[in-house]
Amino acid sequence: MGEPIKVLIMDTVMDRGGSEAMTMNFMRNMDRSKVQYDFLVHRDYKGAYEDEIEMMGGKIYRICPVYPQYFHRYKKEIRKFFKNHPEYKIIHSNTMELGYFAYREASRQGVPVIICHSHCVPVGVNLKQIVRWYFKHKMQKYITVRLACSTEAAYWLFGKKNVSRTKIIKNPIEASRYEFRQEIRNRIRQELNIDENTFVVGHVGRFFPEKNHVFLINIFAEIHRRIPDSKLVLVGSGEKGDNDPYVYLAKEEVKKNGLEKYVIFTGVREDIPDILQAMDTFVFPSKTEGFGIALIEAQASGLRCFTSAKVVPKDVKVTELLEFVELESSYKLWADKIINAEYNYKRNEFYKKITEAGYDIVDGSNKMQEFYCKILEESEK
């Protein structure tokens, strides 16, 4: 048996975000004797997935962040990296346009397959967006393969003329792990000190501005005024852990609304399929979203889901459980829809619908493995 194809995954940090979870799902389920993932990350601290990566045989390399003050240093480090590691014939980057310097250097060093994977659709106009716009146009000539989690994400990063040349990759999950089980719901609620009959609003996501936690807390404040014993469970953390400024802003908003006893900050959790069981509804009012894999997971768990219209791709609506709500709508309107939703359905049926819709991890991993083999073979012709 020959050596496996070595794929270098480029990401910011291997913490529990959407693209990182997708990568880990692929890595767990691919035949690692045929395809092996290694990682180049852009932070000096240890990410949540790193122990598991190393257990599965993956290597982790570190490089400085792609910040303007580090551009000169970054260009030197990335040049040195590719000179020292000619074994990587496929680069799969989740850093999007911020991978520009890496794509350029990899191309110069003769790397045959340079994959850029689009995961989000930034909004607004500011200095950061101008820099991103510049990089995404300069990088196009160095990319050999374009992937995206949705058509919207493809359009933003690669432009209209390249959408048809972009492969849309579904973010698969282990759907069966999300099957609703009453015993798991009871256990998690007991752990979180939530009574059996309490109405629980849930959210899973990093504490970044795009996730719109302050808006979500105000929606919950409106719900709580009508259902006084309701609780909000926020799963996730910021880039700097619990001391992150966006975690602080969220906690300040909770205090301002007098909800300290009713909002639970769980931090990062490894048991997302289980903690979803404890929720009654899932609210995801993102300002921007490339896809929103958390919504697929929530639907698999049988949760009613409410998310931002126009901002979150329509492809995320895999079941009748999900409803889009205008982000400009009032907290009251969001609360009305959430409270008025009917709950006379069997939650344990929905994970099957996720599998039927093509989000099964085993099938998705096999296709991804075949994809790597095919594109490398084509590049060597």
PDB file of all heavy atoms in Angstrom, residues 304-320:
ATOM      1  N   ARG A 304     -37.267  23.499  16.692  1.00  0.00           N
ATOM      2  CA  ARG A 304     -37.748  24.624  15.903  1.00  0.00           C
ATOM      3  C   ARG A 304     -36.623  25.637  15.824  1.00  0.00           C
ATOM      4  O   ARG A 304     -35.977  25.967  16.834  1.00  0.00           O
ATOM      5  CB  ARG A 304     -38.960  25.272  16.565  1.00  0.00           C
ATOM      6  CG  ARG A 304     -40.175  24.368  16.619  1.00  0.00           C
ATOM      7  CD  ARG A 304     -40.901  24.332  15.290  1.00  0.00           C
ATOM      8  NE  ARG A 304     -42.165  23.607  15.415  1.00  0.00           N
ATOM      9  CZ  ARG A 304     -42.975  23.376  14.400  1.00  0.00           C
ATOM     10  NH1 ARG A 304     -42.679  23.822  13.202  1.00  0.00           N
ATOM     11  NH2 ARG A 304     -44.100  22.713  14.577  1.00  0.00           N
ATOM     12  N   CYS A 305     -36.353  26.145  14.619  1.00  0.00           N
ATOM     13  CA  CYS A 305     -35.227  27.061  14.400  1.00  0.00           C
ATOM     14  C   CYS A 305     -35.709  28.371  13.796  1.00  0.00           C
ATOM     15  O   CYS A 305     -36.550  28.375  12.880  1.00  0.00           O
ATOM     16  CB  CYS A 305     -34.205  26.431  13.457  1.00  0.00           C
ATOM     17  SG  CYS A 305     -33.496  24.887  14.047  1.00  0.00           S
ATOM     18  N   PHE A 306     -35.146  29.463  14.284  1.00  0.00           N
ATOM     19  CA  PHE A 306     -35.473  30.797  13.782  1.00  0.00           C
ATOM     20  C   PHE A 306     -34.163  31.502  13.460  1.00  0.00           C
ATOM     21  O   PHE A 306     -33.292  31.647  14.325  1.00  0.00           O
ATOM     22  CB  PHE A 306     -36.275  31.572  14.819  1.00  0.00           C
ATOM     23  CG  PHE A 306     -37.586  30.912  15.163  1.00  0.00           C
ATOM     24  CD1 PHE A 306     -37.650  29.922  16.132  1.00  0.00           C
ATOM     25  CD2 PHE A 306     -38.746  31.240  14.471  1.00  0.00           C
ATOM     26  CE1 PHE A 306     -38.842  29.280  16.430  1.00  0.00           C
ATOM     27  CE2 PHE A 306     -39.952  30.607  14.759  1.00  0.00           C
ATOM     28  CZ  PHE A 306     -39.995  29.631  15.737  1.00  0.00           C
ATOM     29  N   THR A 307     -34.032  31.929  12.200  1.00  0.00           N
ATOM     30  CA  THR A 307     -32.772  32.515  11.773  1.00  0.00           C
ATOM     31  C   THR A 307     -32.997  33.687  10.836  1.00  0.00           C
ATOM     32  O   THR A 307     -34.125  33.936  10.393  1.00  0.00           O
ATOM     33  CB  THR A 307     -31.878  31.445  11.113  1.00  0.00           C
ATOM     34  OG1 THR A 307     -30.556  31.963  10.961  1.00  0.00           O
ATOM     35  CG2 THR A 307     -32.424  31.028   9.748  1.00  0.00           C
ATOM     36  N   SER A 308     -31.932  34.393  10.530  1.00  0.00           N
ATOM     37  CA  SER A 308     -32.019  35.651   9.785  1.00  0.00           C
ATOM     38  C   SER A 308     -32.340  35.434   8.312  1.00  0.00           C
ATOM     39  O   SER A 308     -31.627  34.698   7.616  1.00  0.00           O
ATOM     40  CB  SER A 308     -30.690  36.402   9.901  1.00  0.00           C
ATOM     41  OG  SER A 308     -30.210  36.400  11.224  1.00  0.00           O
ATOM     42  N   ALA A 309     -33.396  36.088   7.845  1.00  0.00           N
ATOM     43  CA  ALA A 309     -33.742  36.055   6.430  1.00  0.00           C
ATOM     44  C   ALA A 309     -32.716  36.863   5.644  1.00  0.00           C
ATOM     45  O   ALA A 309     -32.109  37.801   6.164  1.00  0.00           O
ATOM     46  CB  ALA A 309     -35.135  36.634   6.219  1.00  0.00           C
ATOM     47  N   LYS A 310     -32.489  36.465   4.383  1.00  0.00           N
ATOM     48  CA  LYS A 310     -31.590  37.137   3.440  1.00  0.00           C
ATOM     49  C   LYS A 310     -30.117  36.954   3.785  1.00  0.00           C
ATOM     50  O   LYS A 310     -29.268  36.880   2.908  1.00  0.00           O
ATOM     51  CB  LYS A 310     -31.914  38.639   3.345  1.00  0.00           C
ATOM     52  CG  LYS A 310     -33.310  38.949   2.867  1.00  0.00           C
ATOM     53  CD  LYS A 310     -33.569  40.442   2.895  1.00  0.00           C
ATOM     54  CE  LYS A 310     -35.007  40.739   2.520  1.00  0.00           C
ATOM     55  NZ  LYS A 310     -35.330  42.192   2.662  1.00  0.00           N
ATOM     56  N   VAL A 311     -29.814  36.877   5.066  1.00  0.00           N
ATOM     57  CA  VAL A 311     -28.423  36.760   5.511  1.00  0.00           C
ATOM     58  C   VAL A 311     -27.965  35.306   5.517  1.00  0.00           C
ATOM     59  O   VAL A 311     -26.879  34.983   5.042  1.00  0.00           O
ATOM     60  CB  VAL A 311     -28.256  37.374   6.922  1.00  0.00           C
ATOM     61  CG1 VAL A 311     -26.880  37.093   7.477  1.00  0.00           C
ATOM     62  CG2 VAL A 311     -28.512  38.870   6.867  1.00  0.00           C
ATOM     63  N   VAL A 312     -28.777  34.408   6.045  1.00  0.00           N
ATOM     64  CA  VAL A 312     -28.453  32.980   6.108  1.00  0.00           C
ATOM     65  C   VAL A 312     -28.942  32.323   4.815  1.00  0.00           C
ATOM     66  O   VAL A 312     -30.088  32.526   4.413  1.00  0.00           O
ATOM     67  CB  VAL A 312     -29.118  32.322   7.337  1.00  0.00           C
ATOM     68  CG1 VAL A 312     -28.881  30.820   7.336  1.00  0.00           C
ATOM     69  CG2 VAL A 312     -28.588  32.959   8.622  1.00  0.00           C
ATOM     70  N   PRO A 313     -28.087  31.547   4.132  1.00  0.00           N
ATOM     71  CA  PRO A 313     -28.473  30.917   2.860  1.00  0.00           C
ATOM     72  C   PRO A 313     -29.725  30.059   2.993  1.00  0.00           C
ATOM     73  O   PRO A 313     -29.926  29.364   3.995  1.00  0.00           O
ATOM     74  CB  PRO A 313     -27.248  30.056   2.512  1.00  0.00           C
ATOM     75  CG  PRO A 313     -26.112  30.730   3.186  1.00  0.00           C
ATOM     76  CD  PRO A 313     -26.677  31.278   4.468  1.00  0.00           C
ATOM     77  N   LYS A 314     -30.562  30.095   1.965  1.00  0.00           N
ATOM     78  CA  LYS A 314     -31.809  29.346   1.973  1.00  0.00           C
ATOM     79  C   LYS A 314     -31.582  27.833   2.008  1.00  0.00           C
ATOM     80  O   LYS A 314     -32.451  27.077   2.433  1.00  0.00           O
ATOM     81  CB  LYS A 314     -32.649  29.717   0.753  1.00  0.00           C
ATOM     82  CG  LYS A 314     -33.148  31.160   0.783  1.00  0.00           C
ATOM     83  CD  LYS A 314     -33.961  31.498  -0.454  1.00  0.00           C
ATOM     84  CE  LYS A 314     -34.444  32.946  -0.410  1.00  0.00           C
ATOM     85  NZ  LYS A 314     -35.190  33.314  -1.633  1.00  0.00           N
ATOM     86  N   ASP A 315     -30.397  27.411   1.535  1.00  0.00           N
ATOM     87  CA  ASP A 315     -30.082  25.980   1.508  1.00  0.00           C
ATOM     88  C   ASP A 315     -30.119  25.345   2.889  1.00  0.00           C
ATOM     89  O   ASP A 315     -30.241  24.125   3.018  1.00  0.00           O
ATOM     90  CB  ASP A 315     -28.685  25.753   0.917  1.00  0.00           C
ATOM     91  CG  ASP A 315     -28.600  26.166  -0.544  1.00  0.00           C
ATOM     92  OD1 ASP A 315     -29.654  26.466  -1.122  1.00  0.00           O
ATOM     93  OD2 ASP A 315     -27.486  26.171  -1.087  1.00  0.00           O
ATOM     94  N   VAL A 316     -29.995  26.158   3.946  1.00  0.00           N
ATOM     95  CA  VAL A 316     -29.951  25.616   5.303  1.00  0.00           C
ATOM     96  C   VAL A 316     -31.318  25.100   5.760  1.00  0.00           C
ATOM     97  O   VAL A 316     -31.411  24.326   6.702  1.00  0.00           O
ATOM     98  CB  VAL A 316     -29.409  26.681   6.284  1.00  0.00           C
ATOM     99  CG1 VAL A 316     -30.484  27.674   6.672  1.00  0.00           C
ATOM    100  CG2 VAL A 316     -28.802  26.056   7.524  1.00  0.00           C
ATOM    101  N   LYS A 317     -32.366  25.490   5.056  1.00  0.00           N
ATOM    102  CA  LYS A 317     -33.703  25.012   5.400  1.00  0.00           C
ATOM    103  C   LYS A 317     -33.898  23.622   4.802  1.00  0.00           C
ATOM    104  O   LYS A 317     -34.291  23.458   3.649  1.00  0.00           O
ATOM    105  CB  LYS A 317     -34.784  25.967   4.881  1.00  0.00           C
ATOM    106  CG  LYS A 317     -36.204  25.570   5.298  1.00  0.00           C
ATOM    107  CD  LYS A 317     -37.223  26.591   4.824  1.00  0.00           C
ATOM    108  CE  LYS A 317     -38.650  26.133   5.082  1.00  0.00           C
ATOM    109  NZ  LYS A 317     -38.965  25.979   6.509  1.00  0.00           N
ATOM    110  N   VAL A 318     -33.604  22.615   5.607  1.00  0.00           N
ATOM    111  CA  VAL A 318     -33.690  21.228   5.158  1.00  0.00           C
ATOM    112  C   VAL A 318     -35.004  20.589   5.593  1.00  0.00           C
ATOM    113  O   VAL A 318     -35.469  19.628   4.987  1.00  0.00           O
ATOM    114  CB  VAL A 318     -32.491  20.424   5.713  1.00  0.00           C
ATOM    115  CG1 VAL A 318     -32.522  18.983   5.239  1.00  0.00           C
ATOM    116  CG2 VAL A 318     -31.182  21.082   5.292  1.00  0.00           C
ATOM    117  N   THR A 319     -35.622  21.142   6.656  1.00  0.00           N
ATOM    118  CA  THR A 319     -36.895  20.619   7.160  1.00  0.00           C
ATOM    119  C   THR A 319     -37.866  21.780   7.374  1.00  0.00           C
ATOM    120  O   THR A 319     -37.484  22.953   7.328  1.00  0.00           O
ATOM    121  CB  THR A 319     -36.712  19.892   8.503  1.00  0.00           C
ATOM    122  OG1 THR A 319     -36.444  20.864   9.527  1.00  0.00           O
ATOM    123  CG2 THR A 319     -35.564  18.890   8.451  1.00  0.00           C
ATOM    124  N   GLU A 320     -39.111  21.421   7.666  1.00  0.00           N
ATOM    125  CA  GLU A 320     -40.130  22.438   7.946  1.00  0.00           C
ATOM    126  C   GLU A 320     -39.940  23.089   9.308  1.00  0.00           C
ATOM    127  O   GLU A 320     -40.672  24.017   9.673  1.00  0.00           O
ATOM    128  CB  GLU A 320     -41.525  21.818   7.854  1.00  0.00           C
ATOM    129  CG  GLU A 320     -41.820  20.718   8.860  1.00  0.00           C
ATOM    130  CD  GLU A 320     -41.469  19.316   8.384  1.00  0.00           C
ATOM    131  OE1 GLU A 320     -40.525  19.189   7.555  1.00  0.00           O
ATOM    132  OE2 GLU A 320     -42.124  18.359   8.827  1.00  0.00           O
TER     133      GLU A 320
END
